[in-house]
Amino acid sequence: MNQRRVAAQPPDNESSSYQLSGPESTAAGLPAVVSSLRHAIGQAGPKKALTLLRTLNQKGGVDCMSCAWPDPEHRSIAEFCENGAKAVADEGTLKRAHPEQYTVEELSAQSDYWLNQQGRLVQPLVLLAGSSRYQPISWEEAISKIANHLKSCHPDRNIFYTSGRTSNEAAFLYQLMARRHGTNNLPDCANLCHESSGVGLNSTLGVSKGTVTLYDFYQAEVIVVVGQNPGTNHPRMLSALQRAKQNGARIVSINPLPEAGLSRFKNPQDFMNPLKALSKSTLMADLHLPVAINGDVALFQWICRRLIEENKQENAFIEAYTAGYAAFRHAVKDATLEGTGLCERQVQPLVEWLSQTRRIVFCWAMGLTQHVNAVDNIKAIVNTCLLRGAIGHPGAGVCPVRGHSNVQGDRTMGITTYPKQAFLDRLGQHFKFHPPQKPGLDVVKSIQAMLEGKVDNLICLGGNFLSACPDTELTAQALKNTRLTVQISTKLNRSHLVTGEEALILPCLGRTEEDGHQFVTVEDSMSVVHRSQGKQVPASPQLRSEVAIVCDLASQLVDTDWSLYKRSYDKIRSEIEAVVPGFSDYNRRVRHPSGFALPILPRQGVFPTPDGKAHFTPLTCPDLRLPEGHFYMMTIRSHDQFNTTVYGNDDRYRGIHNKRRVILMNPEDASLLRLRTGDVVDLLCEHRRADNFTVVTYPIPPGCTATYFPEANALVPLEKTAHGSNTPAYKSVVIRLEARKQG
């Protein structure tokens, strides 16, 4: 077992010279333009920055890795957001990382921001057993070491993790390699984010994806944004919401925190048009409902009750297309707003707007999917959608908004621990082998298996496993229990430091970089598959593509020659076409400048459930009572980060500068604890703790708090997961606060 004394949690070495300016009321605008250019030029230099941004999200260009929001048919000259500019600048940085110059203990004493700022990884590195310092290794030696480790144990003692940045081509080969090896241990980042969406939608609508297109947003009359902060996490979505507003849509924000992006929006594209440069920002949300943390089921149950009482259910749709309505109607007949933190007067306008139209789009993100009852949250939205018949026609449907650019595509390619039998049958028939039938380990089960000594090797195709996962100290112990951890990465992160007995870093091409003359494909949040092709000279001649790394490993692990796949990604796509439904004529269709849309049957009012009906679900509201002196904590992103990647220590929209270890609290709650802004507290959840968090009073409902991840992930219990999806409950952690003694 790894005995290195490496810090799993980010160190508390922030400057005390932080500033608080108060929340902003307008998103994007000129500050976003300035921030985008500052980051891009600061990392990549003027010439390279311009080239990177010019091709971003353009037809034939590079698909942005920072979100999965779909591209409009007609692209602007700058079809990117502040997040995207930071992401490509981060990848295109001129800096080069040399972790071999430090011990892993020394590296772990640095912040996540510092680690990322070291720049691109440029050569394969190995951390040998008993050593504390990485050293260079050849690609041939590295691949041989991994294959030997994997083959030395039963396949189910090996885990193949995938990040949502991975292309369709690499993901398809990766899952094929793992299954040829003999295991379905294919956890991925979706286990940590939208797994609850997939489970909830599949059991009610028969598909695990959203049912809308981008054009449904433009035709909608009501758009309900739940548990989502588009201004920080999906900024390009704001342009679509702005267009919807201009077309007359009402927008409703349901979220514990007020967010600038759903308050007002100034489109950065306006500054390229003299006629619009001085125009006012757009008022976005017509209604903001500051629901208490995890009060969503109760809220939608009450909304449905009121719609039924006012006889606003869509009876013809319910009769023709749904099942379970009677039981559902009985379940909501006594629904109240208890636990929501809202009153009837606040919510009644939404009831009225929903009652007036069927052109309703419901969209959501992590604020719904990371609770113990997260699957019920999704079912509550589906219930509301079905009650109004808001599906299967233009301007209506459901939209889980994905974060990683290809997390949805990876799942389509077979990256899942619970593969459908039809997929396994097609895979086995086409490649002439017998795929494993036993379900694999998802992320949480993988960590538990590592803790129990049941896992020898972990291969990570992208991502930052340690920092993304819950219960940081427990996850670190799990990683240390393994024999070998392998990270296929572009930048340095904490998962390179907390490792198995041995560790390898394999540096791969970034999406913005040339991969010969090849292009890859991705799938966005609305099931459109399109191409992405890097144009930049690779950061190092030693970098290999993810496809090449998988092919080289497979050639030794499963004794198959995949060299043709390295030379021709068209050949990979031909294999995908033979196995995955919806990809007929893949190579021709994906060369269309806008790609092609996969078939989603509920868009046509067809529900591929066992009985062919969409299903209402009777739900029970969770018990949200707290022990005295305790609070609900949700983890959130700052505006200067993408998932676990920290670009800077500011959160401009929330008015917090040069500080990440903060806890946002209701002013009255803080007063009851005799705390005020600037006081320092320790956060505790059962036996877990995260120290030195600065109190910032903020407009958040009583009993609720918010902290940034990954700093607060140490408080998220590994065993507290969503029923049905096993997604960690990052958004409803019960904590208490202890004031730190000064001096």
Side-chain angles (χ1 to χ4, degrees):
M1 187 181 75
N2 173 7
Q3 298 293 333
R4 303 178 190 96
R5 300 177 66 83
V6 175
Q9 296 187 50
D12 177 28
N13 56 7
E14 293 178 337
S15 168
S16 59
S17 59
Y18 66 93
Q19 293 181 326
L20 303 176
S21 59
E24 293 191 7
S25 59
T26 301
L30 189 58
V33 175
V34 172
S35 178
S36 299
L37 294 176
R38 177 171 57 84
H39 275 269
I41 295 172
Q43 289 288 344
K47 183 178 179 180
K48 188 176 183 181
L50 180 62
T51 305
L52 286 167
L53 297 177
R54 190 176 59 204
T55 62
L56 190 56
N57 294 321
Q58 298 296 336
K59 296 175 181 179
V62 177
D63 185 76
C64 182
M65 61 288 288
S66 71
C67 82
W69 189 253
D71 301 316
E73 176 61 30
H74 302 291
R75 319 284 166 89
S76 69
I77 193 172
E79 190 59 54
F80 57 86
C81 65
E82 182 180 351
N83 250 15
K86 290 175 180 176
V88 296
D90 195 64
E91 182 174 283
T93 181
L94 300 177
K95 300 175 184 177
R96 301 293 179 257
H98 294 284
E100 69 276 11
Q101 296 178 356
Y102 308 86
T103 67
V104 288
E105 290 87 352
E106 290 170 339
L107 289 169
S108 75
Q110 301 294 334
S111 69
D112 290 353
Y113 170 71
W114 186 93
L115 293 174
N116 185 65
Q117 285 297 304
Q118 298 313 293
R120 289 290 299 278
L121 294 160
V122 294
Q123 63 181 335
L125 298 168
V126 62
L127 182 64
L128 296 171
S131 175
S132 289
R133 192 184 296 266
Y134 277 99
Q135 62 188 53
I137 186 175
S138 71
W139 275 105
E140 291 70 27
E141 290 177 298
I143 295 297
S144 180
K145 178 182 279 289
I146 298 169
N148 289 337
H149 269 275
L150 295 174
K151 289 192 290 187
S152 69
C153 59
H154 190 279
D156 283 338
R157 294 185 66 86
N158 299 322
I159 292 173
F160 299 84
Y161 175 80
T162 314
S163 158
R165 193 203 67 173
T166 306
S167 68
N168 287 335
E169 291 76 11
F172 183 79
L173 292 182
Y174 194 58
Q175 64 83 27
L176 176 60
M177 177 183 70
R179 292 188 168 109
R180 288 287 294 267
H181 177 53
T183 185
N184 283 315
N185 286 347
L186 284 155
D188 70 330
C189 62
N191 296 155
L192 303 175
C193 57
H194 268 294
E195 195 73 56
S196 302
S197 296
V199 173
L201 293 174
N202 195 55
S203 63
T204 55
L205 302 180
V207 296
S208 56
K209 304 179 181 182
T211 68
V212 299
T213 69
L214 185 57
Y215 300 98
D216 287 316
F217 276 79
Y218 304 153
Q219 299 175 75
E221 294 181 355
V222 178
I223 300 174
V224 187
V225 184
V226 195
Q228 185 189 1
N229 175 16
T232 288
N233 301 332
H234 316 94
R236 286 201 303 144
M237 180 179 176
L238 296 180
S239 299
L241 293 177
Q242 182 186 48
R243 181 169 169 181
K245 284 285 292 187
Q246 292 167 347
N247 291 343
R250 288 189 171 101
I251 296 175
V252 178
S253 166
I254 301 176
N255 196 53
L257 293 172
E259 301 289 8
L262 289 171
S263 176
R264 302 193 72 92
F265 171 60
K266 175 61 176 174
N267 196 326
Q269 307 292 338
D270 291 349
F271 294 99
M272 303 177 67
N273 184 337
L275 298 177
K276 294 183 178 180
L278 299 178
S279 63
K280 294 182 179 180
S281 58
T282 301
L283 177 66
M284 298 296 277
D286 299 272
L287 176 67
H288 172 62
L289 297 177
V291 66
I293 289 176
N294 206 17
D296 305 280
V297 169
L299 173 59
F300 282 102
Q301 292 275 85
W302 186 85
I303 289 171
C304 289
R305 171 193 164 182
R306 292 294 299 126
L307 287 169
I308 292 171
E309 288 175 344
E310 295 176 13
N311 199 30
K312 297 298 183 180
Q313 69 276 12
E314 195 68 25
N315 290 315
F317 176 89
I318 293 170
E319 177 66 26
Y321 295 102
T322 74
Y325 176 64
F328 157 74
R329 178 170 181 156
H330 179 76
V332 302
K333 66 181 180 64
D334 297 318
T336 71
L337 289 173
E338 182 180 358
T340 67
L342 302 169
C343 66
E344 294 187 10
R345 176 183 53 80
Q346 290 172 284
V347 186
Q348 188 58 37
L350 175 56
V351 175
E352 293 176 4
W353 297 339
L354 293 177
S355 72
Q356 294 166 3
T357 181
R358 294 176 62 198
R359 291 181 179 265
I360 307 164
V361 171
F362 296 89
C363 47
W364 66 87
M366 306 298 94
L368 285 190
T369 63
Q370 295 177 331
H371 301 274
V372 171
N373 54 282
V375 174
D376 281 358
N377 286 341
I378 310 308
K379 291 178 177 179
I381 285 184
V382 172
N383 283 341
T384 314
C385 180
L386 296 180
L387 189 65
R388 290 295 304 133
I391 194 167
H393 58 87
V398 295
C399 179
V401 183
R402 315 284 177 169
H404 259 314
S405 65
N406 199 41
V407 63
Q408 185 161 303
D410 289 350
R411 186 55 58 86
T412 301
M413 292 297 106
I415 299 291
T416 176
T417 58
Y418 296 99
K420 292 184 178 180
Q421 190 61 50
F423 175 83
L424 292 180
D425 291 344
R426 289 191 300 270
L427 193 71
Q429 182 178 11
H430 182 70
F431 289 101
K432 297 179 172 53
F433 78 109
H434 298 288
Q437 301 295 305
K438 186 176 76 171
L441 301 173
D442 61 22
V443 168
V444 169
K445 289 179 180 178
S446 294
I447 296 169
Q448 292 167 335
M450 285 188 267
L451 287 168
E452 295 168 5
K454 297 178 180 179
V455 172
D456 290 323
N457 307 295
L458 169 68
I459 317 297
C460 293
L461 186 58
N464 180 357
F465 189 88
L466 170 69
S467 297
C469 288
D471 227 332
T472 307
E473 295 295 343
L474 211 55
T475 297
Q477 186 58 53
L479 292 170
K480 292 178 181 180
N481 279 359
T482 63
R483 293 174 56 206
L484 176 71
T485 51
V486 179
Q487 307 293 332
I488 301 170
S489 309
T490 58
K491 303 286 289 292
L492 189 63
N493 63 52
R494 199 159 293 275
S495 292
H496 300 127
L497 314 179
V498 180
T499 69
E501 187 177 13
E502 291 190 294
L504 282 161
I505 298 174
L506 304 183
C508 65
L509 291 173
R511 189 174 288 177
T512 59
E513 293 170 319
E514 290 178 331
D515 185 6
H517 298 291
Q518 306 280 4
F519 67 86
V520 296
T521 62
V522 296
E523 178 186 345
D524 65 31
S525 277
M526 297 178 191
S527 304
V528 175
V529 179
H530 57 281
R531 61 188 290 179
S532 176
Q533 186 165 11
K535 309 290 186 182
Q536 295 296 308
V537 175
S540 164
Q542 292 204 57
L543 303 186
R544 293 189 180 182
S545 70
E546 291 179 331
V547 167
I549 295 171
V550 174
C551 288
D552 290 342
L553 179 56
S555 68
Q556 294 194 36
L557 180 61
V558 295
D559 298 321
T560 183
D561 182 9
W562 282 4
S563 58
L564 176 60
Y565 296 145
K566 288 198 294 182
R567 297 194 302 270
S568 173
Y569 292 2
D570 276 357
K571 176 59 177 172
I572 306 172
R573 288 186 280 270
S574 294
E575 307 285 28
I576 293 170
E577 178 181 335
V579 173
V580 184
F583 285 82
S584 61
D585 206 8
Y586 192 0
N587 278 306
R588 182 190 64 80
R589 289 199 293 159
V590 83
R591 282 176 164 82
H592 185 280
S594 298
F596 63 93
L598 295 174
I600 302 296
L601 292 177
R603 288 176 179 169
Q604 289 78 49
V606 177
F607 301 99
T609 58
D611 61 2
K613 300 281 189 177
H615 285 252
F616 283 97
T617 310
L619 302 172
T620 301
C621 295
D623 184 353
L624 300 178
R625 291 174 295 180
L626 285 164
E628 186 176 353
H630 288 68
F631 301 87
Y632 280 113
M633 180 197 81
M634 62 178 185
T635 60
I636 58 176
R637 285 190 206 172
S638 76
H639 194 62
D640 245 0
Q641 72 179 101
F642 171 61
N643 292 345
T644 61
T645 301
V646 178
Y647 301 129
N649 292 321
D650 295 340
D651 192 353
R652 188 175 76 246
Y653 288 163
R654 298 190 182 105
I656 301 169
H657 307 275
N658 204 28
K659 195 73 173 173
R660 288 188 55 81
R661 298 181 78 86
V662 300
I663 178 167
L664 308 184
M665 293 189 69
N666 178 278
E668 294 182 7
D669 287 340
S671 179
L672 288 173
L673 294 180
R674 298 184 178 180
L675 295 171
R676 57 186 178 182
T677 292
D679 288 346
V680 181
V681 297
D682 297 334
L683 311 181
L684 297 91
C685 174
E686 301 169 1
H687 60 276
R688 304 164 185 84
R689 66 184 302 125
D691 293 339
N692 294 327
F693 279 70
T694 299
V695 171
V696 175
T697 55
Y698 207 82
I700 188 171
C704 302
T705 65
T707 54
Y708 299 130
F709 76 90
E711 287 83 356
N713 283 2
L715 299 168
V716 182
L718 182 66
E719 68 274 11
K720 294 292 177 63
T721 62
H723 304 308
S725 71
N726 214 28
T727 295
Y730 296 93
K731 292 294 187 288
S732 52
V733 182
V734 178
I735 65 167
R736 59 187 178 87
L737 285 65
E738 284 187 356
R740 291 186 69 84
K741 296 180 180 178
Q742 301 300 314

